[in-house]
Amino acid sequence: MPDRRSDSNTGAFDVVIVGAGFSGLYMLHRMRELGFAVRLYEAGEGVGGTWFWNRYPGARCDIESVEYSYSFSEELQREWQWSERYASQPEILRYLNHVAERFDLHRDIQLETRVTSATFDEIGYRWTIETDRGDQVSARFCIMATGCLSTAKLPEYKGLETFQGNWYHTGNWPHQAVNFEGQRVGVIGTGSSGIQSIPMIAEQASHLFVFQRTPNFSVPAQNGPLTPEVSQDWTANHAERRQQIRKLPFAIAIEHSPDSALAVPTEERQRVYEQRWQRGGFAMMGAFADLIFNKEANDTAADFVRSKIRGIVSDPAVAQMLSPRDFPLATKRICVDTGYYATFNRENVTLIDVRDNPIEEITPTGLRTRDAEYALDSLVFASGFDAMTGSLNRIEIRGRTGATLKQKWAQGPRTYLGLMIAGFPNLFVVAGPGSPSVLSNMVVSIEHHVEWIADCLVYIRDRGISGLEATEAAEDEWIAHVNAVANMTLFPLANSWYMGANVPGKTRIFMPYIGGFPNYQKKCAEVTARGYEGFVLSIPDRSAAGAAQAASW
Ligand code: FAD
Ligand code: NAP
């Protein structure tokens, strides 16, 4: 297939992609391989998405790098060597820049350009896309690779504008190194970003105050240099290893025990947990088959982690404060750390509970809780994201009926397979709500979506049809299934960002699909095999613009 370069003169493309993270970069590569005329817009000054924005100290992946990387290119797999078991943010960003250069992606990427609106025109069966730089282009297909965790969320405290020190959000960290040497620093938030950055900031700051509303479960990464054996094994056997991973529930290479935690003697259970703790990372999640289904089983694992916290943290009162109690283990994403709990043994670190003693105001010199005032030179918000829907809702996306996606999603996101939305023909979302996305190794889920979308576009082009749209019935059925599966687990018990609970006023609904990556992949394959079941394929486009477009494919 010839490479149909973007028609910059007329501003007419086959495909517009929004976002240049793992999703957008691979999507662009596939589109080009298939000969589609494509343009990608990215708000940032560089590619990399998550790994471009989240430059806070300690940022690294929580899935092993050999797995948290693309599998689509044999050559890429062979030529890239990871230095650590869990790569740091700079290394992952270098990798994504390497991918962009290696596959010559930059020529179709427009950086520093935020897409502000996308409007569907039913007559021409095309999308009009507008940006904050004044671009207005049209495309038959619009692919949102805008990320699940790409809209940083700041707490709504009064007084932030009066703060005289520097403040940062982990999800939008400066490009220059931030030096906290000799400073009194406050960190607000103890999710994965806080848990990764707190040990690093503590090493620099003269004093670190950690403001914790809810303690989280964290397990050690047991990070270290990637051994030559692991590296060589992956280079030699990566195709087989990747195949194995795709058959696992979260597409993460952990061993899943078929046993119930309640069916084994206490000593044996402790031995298993200890072995998994020593292994590090998400290994704990596969210790027993019923951990996410049965509260009693889950309690045994949660008790184990709490006993570890008591063993590491020397002050029992601090250990108690750090011990999560109000949600089951892993129903918020389990954190993977390096030296987190031990950080609270340092003389220069103070933990402050802001649940019973909430932060009331940011002051010019620090912050004030209900009970005390803290003098701070810098403030770090590790306060998370408007997850899964935030970046999509910021774009004015108008579908077939003229209604916006934000209006349609007022009561929570609704999609068919997390890929498409009834009323929004030819609009695709990569790793959207209703797909395994954030509950899986995201690179595996992203590659699967990119390939599904690419196959779909070829199907449409080959038949000379205008496109396709999910039906309301298929969407209703899928959302009911997503909820039913979530309700079989303990996940809805947590006030997590999976539920939208971290954003005041956001509708609470379990957003990702927890039925497992293999089941999901099978369902998508069945839909395709049945001629795109659950979608309406549109009639050939008779408009002048459509005829011209159809003639070219
Ligand atoms: P992103 O990487 O978020 O990229 C989306 C891009 O779209 C961004 O660059 C954004 O600027 C751009 N964009 C959004 N809206 C617009 C617009 N309107 N116009 C133009 N551009 C726009 N997942 C894992 O599986 N394992 C991990 O170890 C892991 N670690 C993580 C660590 C951190 C700190 C965070 C925040 C997330 C982590 N995740 C992890 C999830 C991570 O987001 C995904 O793994 C993956 O990087 C997402 O890639 P993406 O391309 O879909 O989205
Ligand atoms: P997060 O998990 O949502 O954590 C945000 C933290 O900020 C929570 O402790 C939250 O407390 C706190 N917070 C928010 N608003 C607050 C307020 N007004 N007052 C006090 N505390 C407040 O966000 P995150 O840590 O950035 O992580 C988000 C996701 O990104 C992760 O779950 C993970 O998927 C991904 N991630 C992965 C890694 C990795 O290890 N590779 C690293 C970072 C992020 P409450 O819990 O009480 O709301």
Side-chain angles (χ1 to χ4, degrees):
M1 185 61 64
D3 178 13
R4 281 180 6 107
R5 292 302 312 283
S6 48
D7 189 350
S8 305
N9 295 332
T10 61
F13 298 91
D14 298 332
V15 181
V16 159
I17 300 168
V18 189
F22 268 103
S23 301
L25 292 177
Y26 181 34
M27 196 76 241
L28 173 57
H29 175 58
R30 274 306 283 149
M31 292 295 92
R32 285 236 305 253
E33 274 187 330
L34 293 166
F36 289 103
V38 56
R39 161 70 51 93
L40 185 153
Y41 294 108
E42 164 57 55
E45 303 114 68
V47 303
T50 289
W51 304 102
F52 174 85
W53 297 106
N54 291 261
R55 296 166 187 244
Y56 60 84
R60 57 179 73 248
C61 52
D62 59 7
I63 292 175
E64 298 189 30
S65 317
V66 286
E67 299 170 53
Y68 186 69
S69 48
Y70 291 122
S71 69
F72 68 83
S73 159
E74 190 64 42
E75 296 74 30
L76 175 64
Q77 176 75 35
R78 263 201 307 274
E79 70 201 16
W80 188 268
Q81 298 296 324
W82 294 104
S83 67
E84 291 179 280
R85 187 174 165 201
Y86 298 93
S88 64
Q89 173 272 329
E91 189 171 9
I92 304 174
L93 184 58
R94 271 201 304 281
Y95 171 76
L96 289 168
N97 274 307
H98 169 73
V99 169
E101 274 154 38
R102 192 193 188 291
F103 297 101
D104 188 21
L105 301 180
H106 276 288
R107 66 187 157 97
D108 291 317
I109 299 178
Q110 187 170 317
L111 296 171
E112 295 184 76
T113 308
R114 181 169 288 282
V115 168
T116 50
S117 72
T119 311
F120 184 68
D121 162 31
E122 200 173 2
I123 312 264
Y125 222 85
R126 296 179 69 82
W127 285 90
T128 299
I129 290 108
E130 293 181 313
T131 78
D132 63 355
R133 304 275 292 248
D135 306 271
Q136 191 191 70
V137 296
S138 98
R140 178 155 301 255
F141 303 101
C142 183
I143 302 177
M144 295 296 178
T146 42
C148 297
L149 295 159
S150 50
T151 296
K153 180 83 190 71
L154 267 182
E156 285 148 23
Y157 299 130
K158 66 172 179 183
L160 182 56
E161 69 290 350
T162 69
F163 184 57
Q164 288 164 1
N166 292 318
W167 63 267
Y168 311 91
H169 190 289
T170 50
N172 192 1
W173 200 263
H175 290 200
Q176 305 73 25
V178 176
N179 188 354
F180 292 115
E181 212 75 52
Q183 293 193 17
R184 294 159 303 179
V185 182
V187 174
I188 298 174
T190 50
S192 303
S193 304
I195 280 174
Q196 285 188 331
S197 55
I198 284 165
M200 307 290 290
I201 298 173
E203 282 177 17
Q204 278 194 357
S206 65
H207 202 96
L208 173 62
F209 297 89
V210 176
F211 297 94
Q212 171 190 273
R213 189 164 64 185
T214 314
N216 252 303
F217 290 100
S218 191
V219 294
Q222 312 290 13
N223 193 23
L226 195 66
T227 63
E229 297 76 48
V230 173
S231 203
Q232 280 155 20
D233 172 60
W234 267 81
T235 305
N237 303 309
H238 94 96
E240 192 188 332
R241 297 274 174 275
R242 302 278 193 180
Q243 272 300 0
Q244 288 163 346
I245 287 171
R246 288 190 198 106
K247 293 187 181 133
L248 297 168
F250 304 107
I252 307 173
I254 50 175
E255 214 179 300
H256 289 268
S257 163
D259 300 330
S260 160
L262 306 175
V264 296
T266 308
E267 304 73 52
E268 171 58 7
R269 200 163 55 215
Q270 293 303 105
R271 189 193 65 73
V272 169
Y273 287 143
E274 182 61 37
Q275 192 189 39
R276 301 259 173 174
W277 181 272
Q278 295 308 333
R279 168 81 188 126
F282 290 131
M284 183 67 77
M285 291 312 305
F288 293 102
D290 47 0
L291 293 184
I292 62 163
F293 298 106
N294 181 320
K295 177 72 168 56
E296 210 186 326
N298 190 288
D299 285 343
T300 65
D303 284 344
F304 176 83
V305 176
R306 285 189 284 260
S307 74
K308 282 291 183 190
I309 299 172
R310 286 194 298 277
I312 298 169
V313 178
S314 12
D315 181 337
V318 176
Q320 174 74 5
M321 274 168 75
L322 287 167
S323 297
R325 299 205 178 270
D326 56 4
F327 60 97
L329 177 100
T331 53
K332 289 186 173 187
R333 192 182 180 92
I334 203 162
C335 304
V336 177
D337 74 88
T338 299
Y340 177 64
Y341 293 119
T343 298
F344 293 89
N345 293 335
R346 296 175 65 108
E347 294 278 305
N348 71 332
V349 176
T350 306
L351 180 66
I352 297 122
D353 173 7
V354 293
R355 178 168 294 280
D356 297 330
N357 167 32
I359 297 170
E360 293 196 330
E361 184 180 14
I362 309 290
T363 66
T365 54
L367 67 77
R368 195 168 53 71
T369 66
R370 196 192 55 198
D371 298 344
E373 188 139 5
Y374 297 87
L376 302 168
D377 302 303
S378 289
L379 250 178
V380 174
F381 292 98
S383 47
F385 300 87
D386 183 354
M388 308 213 74
T389 55
S391 293
L392 288 166
N393 281 341
R394 280 173 74 180
I395 307 171
E396 190 179 300
I397 304 173
R398 282 192 190 276
R400 190 170 36 76
T401 62
T404 64
L405 186 65
K406 193 173 174 183
Q407 286 164 337
K408 167 156 178 159
W409 283 6
Q411 300 308 313
R414 303 184 64 74
T415 66
Y416 180 37
L417 302 172
L419 275 161
M420 292 193 83
I421 302 139
F424 295 80
N426 286 5
L427 179 87
F428 296 83
V429 183
V430 183
S435 77
S437 72
V438 291
L439 289 175
S440 65
N441 175 345
M442 277 208 68
V443 183
V444 175
S445 280
I446 286 168
E447 286 193 320
H448 171 248
H449 266 191
V450 166
E451 286 157 20
W452 192 94
I453 294 168
D455 290 349
C456 178
L457 264 52
V458 170
Y459 182 93
I460 290 167
R461 180 174 65 184
D462 287 352
R463 281 156 187 78
I465 55 180
S466 315
L468 82 175
E469 179 185 344
T471 66
E472 293 279 355
E475 190 174 87
D476 289 349
E477 203 179 316
W478 181 249
I479 291 300
H481 175 61
V482 169
N483 287 321
V485 179
N487 288 332
M488 288 162 67
T489 73
L490 303 173
F491 274 78
L493 298 181
N495 285 327
S496 64
W497 59 258
Y498 298 141
M499 295 286 293
N502 66 324
V503 177
K506 191 164 171 173
T507 303
R508 293 201 183 188
I509 178 170
F510 192 76
M511 294 186 282
Y513 176 61
I514 197 175
F517 179 75
N519 288 338
Y520 175 77
Q521 195 183 20
K522 185 161 165 273
K523 167 74 182 173
C524 290
E526 284 167 5
V527 165
T528 313
R530 293 182 189 140
Y532 290 90
E533 185 180 50
F535 292 97
V536 175
L537 301 175
S538 66
I539 50 153
D541 186 343
R542 303 287 177 218
S543 70
Q549 189 77 13
S552 64
W553 62 31

